[in-house]
Amino acid sequence: MAPSKDSKRGPRTPESNNNNNNNSNTSNTNGGGGNASRESRHTGLFLPLFGLRLSPRKRRQIEAEKDRILSDLDRHSHQRRGRAPPPASTVDVELKPLDDRQPNLKFSLRPGSTVAKLEQLIRRRYQDKGHPIATAAHFAFHADGKVLNPEDVLLPSSFKIWYRMSRSSAEVDQWKFSQYKDTNNQPIPPELATQLVQAIDTGATVGDLRRKIATFMSISDPDRVLLVARGGTRPGQLQGDSWVVSEVKRHWLCCWISYHIARTNAYAVINGLGRRYVYHPESHYFFDGMSVRRWQHHLDTRLFRNVRSRGKTGFNAHWSELILTLNDTRVSKTTRVCWGKTYEVELPGQAAKIFSTEEAWLLPDETCSVCLDSKNLSVMAYKITSACDHKPTICNACLGQWIASELETKMWDRIKCPECPKALQFADVKRNASKSVFKRYDELATRAALGDIPNFRWCKSAKCSSGQIDDVRCVRFKCKACKTSHCIKHDVPWHSGETCEEYDKRNVQKKKDERASEAEITKSSKKCPSCNKAVHKFSGCNHITCICSHEWCYICLAPFQRNEHGFLYCRHKPECTERDPFVDLIDPQNANADPRNFFEAANHGLFPPQFLRNRLRVVRGRAARHHPGAEANEPGQEQIGRNPGRLHPDMFLPPWMQGVDRRMFAGVAGIADHVANGNGNGNGRDPMQDLRLFAQDMRAARRERA
């Protein structure tokens, strides 16, 4: 026998039956409840639920929903009668501590109370518990990222307020450092604390603090240093190496940082979006192991959704969409994390932009090498090509314009990195180009891919952009999209009413004209040695760059090449009128290269007039960066010239010369070699004095030739 509805709902008590009868009688008597009391009119809405076996939590939820509906009905009834709703009797305020040693507090205040009332209530609460607060203690209150003054009135929306209690007003914003596992929170050595405070004041990042602590404690691996934000609006690990610590204090209201030296390899490095993050697991995950699936969930909740300054995050990617690779191999979710390794993380396109936007306030600014504007690290290009070994110094906007200009002047598959000769692949253009530019690039790539299919032909109609695989046995091509036809043999619209032979007889003169035009083009142009396309030079120099990206001399057809350091040179043929004065010096195939050629070229004025002047300017700038106290001194003066051990030889060389064998060079590079070795030039003089004499000799030689 099937159970009845009453048995499913539980036994009905006599009290519930009486309540139902009373409520129905009241409603009928009052004509639909027009003059009934508040309880008698609306309690019946909840009576069917009272016979169920509900948990205490569910009963509280139902009662709260009941009170909300009744209050809404009362407010609407007041509005219908033209009266304002009654004001709230109290304002509930929740106080969250910025110091994890202090408790959460809740107070109910009257409307119109000020912030000073909160301080009185806190002092009274501690007094009642037998822990009175000193009179000199200072309170700081924050809400919605703003500092609250004592005279500010608490609004009904100010239900969550952050507070910090310190011994005096001087200690409110002071940095505090401690060891993470020290239960007594003893201060760290004063020397280390002073170094950390000075570094933070100068804009140090989390990675800088790791290195300073590791150096102070004689640890070779700075990644073993775990930094934890104690308190604040976002307590927890500080993973980002590029995060500016002063911004953590300004936005997350954290003034207390603890550090811990982890075991060897008890961490994992994550590289993504051009930034570096260090994740330190809990001890049981390090010893027992941790699956990649759980690690993805940790990264999603503790890093990617936890970098906003305040408010809710907009990061919309699921943790399973995080792609982790190790040694260029995608990691399975069921494998274990290899601690001490470096992983590459890839986020979905929109999620990566959201994360970069939310993280921007934590990142420092860098200077774009193209527009020379100071840009946030989040808008700098973090990876131009997958084959690039250098760190990009160009912003996303300039890189997008570079790709657009290259696409207009070169073949779609010949676009190169603006900072190295590596070619951009499809994924690189999709990541760095704008939507319109990438759409054009995608069309060209698609057309090229389809063009490699045998017997595939494009429609010749100007209004159609489709193509199809055609039958090679028929010379007539008919487009299935626009229904137009053209002749495959002559590559013209279909000559209706005549065959191809008849068309050839009718266009004999046209063929003669075409052959004459081709002959004239052959006389006035030269073919590219790489792709055999005719190139006609009507102005400019003889250095030709074909659309296939091959560079060659227009006179002797000799190719332009780059040596291992990126320096461009051309070994012209003997009959060519062009000459490259540096080819014997920089050609790696020339075993008899004489380094004196460099100095001879300088003596004969083959350097541009501004060469030495620019070299001296570069020396001053790089010396100032390597030795900050020497900005006001000229090169060669006592502060720089008498401290050769503090100068690096690469500061004297242009970027493409850095790291090369300096024994090949004389002049500026030779003097840099003397400075690097710290042995002077053998005659007891300052090496920088030789640089100045070298510049004077060059100026005198130019005046004599003039």
Side-chain angles (χ1 to χ4, degrees), residues 126-164:
Y126 275 82
Q127 182 71 29
D128 295 341
K129 292 185 177 182
H131 302 288
I133 300 175
T135 308
H138 181 80
F139 289 84
F141 299 93
H142 303 264
D144 298 331
K146 299 179 181 179
V147 180
L148 300 180
N149 298 319
E151 63 274 7
D152 291 342
V153 178
L154 296 176
L155 301 176
S157 59
S158 303
F159 60 92
K160 189 175 182 180
I161 297 178
W162 298 90
Y163 79 97
R164 176 182 284 117

Side-chain angles (χ1 to χ4, degrees), residues 377-452:
L377 186 60
S378 61
V379 298
M380 297 291 290
Y382 60 89
K383 185 170 65 173
I384 299 180
T385 70
S386 56
C388 286
D389 298 329
H390 59 88
K391 179 184 178 181
T393 60
I394 184 173
C395 65
N396 292 327
C398 293
L399 180 58
Q401 294 178 4
W402 163 267
I403 296 175
S405 62
E406 288 289 288
L407 190 60
E408 293 178 358
T409 57
K410 294 183 180 179
M411 298 288 290
W412 67 273
D413 57 344
R414 304 290 182 177
I415 302 177
K416 295 184 178 180
C417 171
E419 300 179 2
C420 72
K422 303 295 183 181
L424 271 72
Q425 302 300 323
F426 185 87
D428 303 326
V429 178
K430 182 178 181 180
R431 180 178 59 253
N432 298 313
S434 61
K435 292 183 179 180
S436 58
V437 173
F438 175 72
K439 182 179 179 181
R440 172 63 176 163
Y441 177 87
D442 189 29
E443 292 176 355
L444 295 175
T446 304
R447 293 179 70 90
L450 294 176
D452 294 337

Side-chain angles (χ1 to χ4, degrees), residues 542-554:
N542 293 317
H543 181 179
I544 303 299
T545 302
C546 183
I547 59 174
C548 67
S549 299
H550 180 63
E551 301 180 45
W552 48 283
C553 175
Y554 191 76

Side-chain angles (χ1 to χ4, degrees), residues 565-584:
H565 307 297
F567 196 89
L568 186 68
Y569 69 94
C570 178
R571 184 169 290 281
H572 297 274
K573 296 180 180 179
E575 64 273 11
C576 183
T577 58
E578 298 287 343
R579 287 290 180 269
D580 191 341
F582 305 108
V583 65
D584 292 332

Side-chain angles (χ1 to χ4, degrees), residues 177 188-198:
F177 304 97
I188 63 175
E191 300 84 0
L192 178 58
T194 302
Q195 294 181 17
L196 296 181
V197 172
Q198 291 177 354

